Amino acid sequence: MLEACNEITAYLKDYYADCIYLIITLVSAVGLIIIDRKRYLKMLIPVAALSVVIINPLTYKLILHRLVYWRLLWVIPGTLIIALFVYELIMKVEKQWVKLVITFAVIGLLAILGNNVFKDRVKNTNKYRLPQGMADVCETMLEISSSPKCILPGDMLSYARQYSPDIVPMYGRNAKGFISTAPQEVFDMFENMEAASPNYEYILNMARNKGYSFVVNTENKPAPEELLEMYGYELLKNTGGYNIYYNKKV
């Protein structure tokens, strides 16, 4: 249960800027109740009930940990609650300059206390708006095959088919338990690919038997030369931090 609490806390800190926005939301909710209990309790009671279900270590441990948890936090309308509270404050004063001060003070407060989501964003270098290294990997495979069957590392799962629907990966986000079910061999392959020391004997053997000409993994996890030769693969190219292995006979 302690582990569930820690995971929930981590999500809340990440989603609500170290929980600052959540605190502002709670203060705003209390303010709305004080201002107009009859009107705003009708809105806030359902929100409170849903929040108890979502931010709950028991329901998280039993069910919610299987879902994309941070998306459940969208149910809590923090932006609306804060905006309504600011609106009510503004409507309580008559002088125009005071209304402006309140408005810009709140905007400034939210901007200062929040996180800049673009701070670490790298400028796009291609029309696909993808990391350039991943785009290079996809382009390399497409230069050889019009419909490359491939096994990819976890950080490429959401990008390969965004680059081109002609790319046919062995698995996508279903290897992480999302979108759809997958056979056990997919989970086994994904686990091996993501391991610090991948079992390339399993990976290359499975890739050849299942007809996947390309195996791609990060360059810090190279495949042994003897295993590549044994299963008919070769290092096609190292690009963008990835090694692309290719078997022309598959």
Side-chain angles (χ1 to χ4, degrees):
M1 196 65 70
L2 179 60
E3 183 181 355
C5 289
N6 291 335
E7 290 181 14
I8 290 173
T9 301
Y11 276 115
L12 292 176
K13 286 183 176 180
D14 187 49
Y15 189 82
Y16 287 109
D18 289 332
C19 290
I20 292 173
Y21 277 14
L22 183 58
I23 293 171
I24 296 174
T25 300
L26 292 173
V27 171
S28 298
V30 172
L32 287 173
I33 294 172
I34 293 172
I35 290 171
D36 193 334
R37 179 188 299 268
K38 185 176 180 180
R39 177 191 298 178
Y40 289 114
L41 271 179
K42 294 178 180 179
M43 179 187 77
L44 294 173
I45 287 177
V47 172
L50 289 170
S51 299
V52 168
V53 174
I54 294 171
I55 308 174
N56 184 313
L58 181 59
T59 55
Y60 179 86
K61 186 176 181 179
L62 294 176
I63 301 172
L64 302 183
H65 73 279
R66 304 173 186 174
L67 309 176
V68 186
Y69 182 77
W70 59 270
R71 289 182 179 173
L72 299 177
L73 300 176
W74 294 351
V75 172
I76 304 173
T79 304
L80 175 61
I81 292 172
I82 295 171
L84 280 173
F85 180 55
V86 174
Y87 167 78
E88 291 290 358
L89 287 179
I90 291 173
M91 295 304 293
K92 291 294 182 182
V93 299
E94 296 181 359
K95 294 182 179 180
Q96 190 67 28
W97 70 270
V98 178
K99 295 178 185 288
L100 291 174
V101 168
I102 293 174
T103 301
F104 285 104
V106 173
I107 292 173
L109 182 68
L110 294 175
I112 292 171
L113 296 179
N115 296 327
N116 183 359
V117 297
F118 299 103
K119 181 177 63 175
D120 299 320
R121 187 70 57 87
V122 178
K123 183 178 180 181
N124 293 310
T125 57
N126 56 73
K127 64 181 180 179
Y128 300 97
R129 298 183 181 275
L130 300 178
Q132 188 58 48
M134 297 182 186
D136 291 340
V137 169
C138 294
E139 187 59 34
T140 299
M141 293 190 296
L142 287 167
E143 287 175 355
I144 294 177
S145 173
S146 60
S147 183
K149 295 185 67 176
C150 53
I151 298 173
L152 303 174
D155 58 352
M156 289 190 66
L157 299 186
S158 298
Y159 293 107
R161 287 181 61 79
Q162 184 177 337
Y163 184 89
S164 172
D166 295 324
I167 296 174
V168 185
M170 182 179 188
Y171 48 77
R173 295 179 65 206
N174 59 341
K176 297 182 179 181
F178 301 132
I179 308 300
S180 63
T181 58
Q184 186 59 44
E185 64 188 28
V186 164
F187 294 110
D188 293 340
M189 177 63 77
F190 179 71
E191 182 178 350
N192 275 286
M193 288 286 289
E194 295 304 293
S197 299
N199 182 353
Y200 277 108
E201 185 167 5
Y202 174 87
I203 292 170
L204 296 174
N205 182 49
M206 180 69 74
R208 185 181 66 178
N209 291 341
K210 295 294 182 178
Y212 290 89
S213 304
F214 297 91
V215 175
V216 181
N217 214 339
T218 52
E219 63 184 0
N220 64 333
K221 296 190 285 189
E225 287 291 340
E226 60 271 20
L227 288 179
L228 290 172
E229 184 177 351
M230 180 186 302
Y231 292 103
Y233 288 82
E234 62 180 354
L235 178 60
L236 177 65
K237 189 175 184 180
N238 172 277
T239 182
Y242 298 93
N243 287 329
I244 306 173
Y245 303 108
Y246 175 59
N247 187 332
K248 60 184 177 182
K249 294 182 180 180
V250 173

